[in-house]
C-alpha cells in the first residue's frame, strides 16, 4: 500500500500524466532508507500511470527484500540502472537491479521459494506490461531485470 501511495502522490503532482522512471526508483529506495551507497542512473524515461504503478510495486518488493536480507541490510552494493534498447523491432526500456557483496541467507529465505514479490516480477509484469523479466539469486546477491516495450510503458 505504501508503494501505491507514493506513486499516487507522484501522479497527483503530474496531473496523472507520464512519470519519470528515475522518480519512481528514487522514491522507493528513499522510502526504504537507501543511502548514498546506491548507484542509480539511466536516460530519461517517462512511464504511463499503469506502468509506473506496476513497476513501483516490483521495486517496492525488491527494496523490501534488500532491507530484510540483502544489500540494504548487509552494507552490500546496490545498482539500479536502466537503458533504452531495440529488441525484435520494438523500443524497450530495460531496468536492472543488481545487488552484490551480500551474504546469502541460509534456510527458507535462500530456498528459492517464490514469494509475492517474485511472483509479481515473474508473472504479473509479463502479463500486465508484456515485460520480459529475469530474477536470479546469485552467489552474492539478487539480480533482477525487467524489460518493457515503450509503447506499453507510455
Amino acid at each position: 500500500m505504501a508503494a501505491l501511495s507514493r506513486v499516487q502522490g507522484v501522479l497527483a503532482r503530474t496531473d496523472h500524466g507520464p512519470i519519470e522512471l528515475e522518480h519512481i526508483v528514487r522514491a522507493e529506495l528513499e522510502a526504504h532508507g537507501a543511502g548514498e551507497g546506491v548507484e542509480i542512473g539511466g536516460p530519461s524515461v517517462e512511464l504511463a500511470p499503469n506502468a509506473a504503478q506496476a513497476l513501483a510495486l516490483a521495486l517496492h518488493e525488491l527494496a523490501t527484500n534488500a532491507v530484510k536480507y540483502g544489500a540494504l541490510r548487509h552494507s552490500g552494493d546496490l545498482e539500479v540502472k536502466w537503458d533504452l534498447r531495440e529488441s525484435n523491432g520494438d523500443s524497450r526500456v530495460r531496468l536492472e537491479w543488481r545487488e552484490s557483496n551480500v551474504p546469502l541467507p541460509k534456510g527458507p529465505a535462500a530456498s528459492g521459494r517464490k514469494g509475492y514479490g517474485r511472483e509479481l516480477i515473474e508473472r504479473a509484469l509479463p502479463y500486465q506490461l508484456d515485460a520480459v523479466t529475469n530474477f536470479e539469486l546469485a552467489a552474492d546477491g539478487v539480480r533482477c531485470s525487467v524489460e518493457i516495450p515503450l509503447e506499453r510503458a507510455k
Side-chain angles (χ1 to χ4, degrees):
M1 294 305 285
L4 285 175
S5 176
R6 282 187 287 281
V7 171
Q8 289 301 317
V10 173
L11 277 172
R13 289 189 298 277
T14 63
D15 239 357
H16 291 75
I19 301 170
E20 276 287 326
L21 175 56
E22 183 173 353
H23 293 177
I24 296 167
V25 171
R26 288 191 184 280
E28 277 310 312
L29 290 171
E30 288 171 6
H32 286 84
E36 296 172 13
V38 178
E39 196 172 331
I40 300 169
S44 176
V45 175
E46 292 185 333
L47 301 174
N50 67 325
Q53 286 180 344
L55 200 51
L57 286 175
L59 289 166
H60 174 77
E61 291 297 326
L62 288 165
T64 297
N65 286 332
V67 167
K68 289 181 182 178
Y69 313 110
L72 298 180
R73 177 180 182 155
H74 295 287
S75 300
D77 298 316
L78 174 59
E79 289 183 358
V80 184
K81 304 277 187 165
W82 58 93
D83 61 13
L84 298 170
R85 54 183 57 195
E86 292 292 320
S87 177
N88 299 325
D90 293 328
S91 296
R92 302 174 77 82
V93 59
R94 179 181 169 94
L95 180 134
E96 292 202 36
W97 177 282
R98 184 185 257 327
E99 295 179 44
S100 56
N101 298 315
V102 176
L104 285 183
K106 305 286 186 240
S111 69
R113 181 184 69 79
K114 292 187 178 185
Y116 172 75
R118 193 162 176 183
E119 288 288 323
L120 172 76
I121 291 164
E122 293 181 332
R123 297 185 68 167
L125 292 180
Y127 175 78
Q128 197 172 2
L129 300 175
D130 197 24
V132 175
T133 64
N134 183 48
F135 185 95
E136 174 187 354
L137 291 173
D140 67 340
V142 169
R143 311 279 190 275
C144 180
S145 65
V146 177
E147 191 170 306
I148 305 168
L150 280 179
E151 68 270 3
R152 293 296 295 263
K154 291 187 177 186

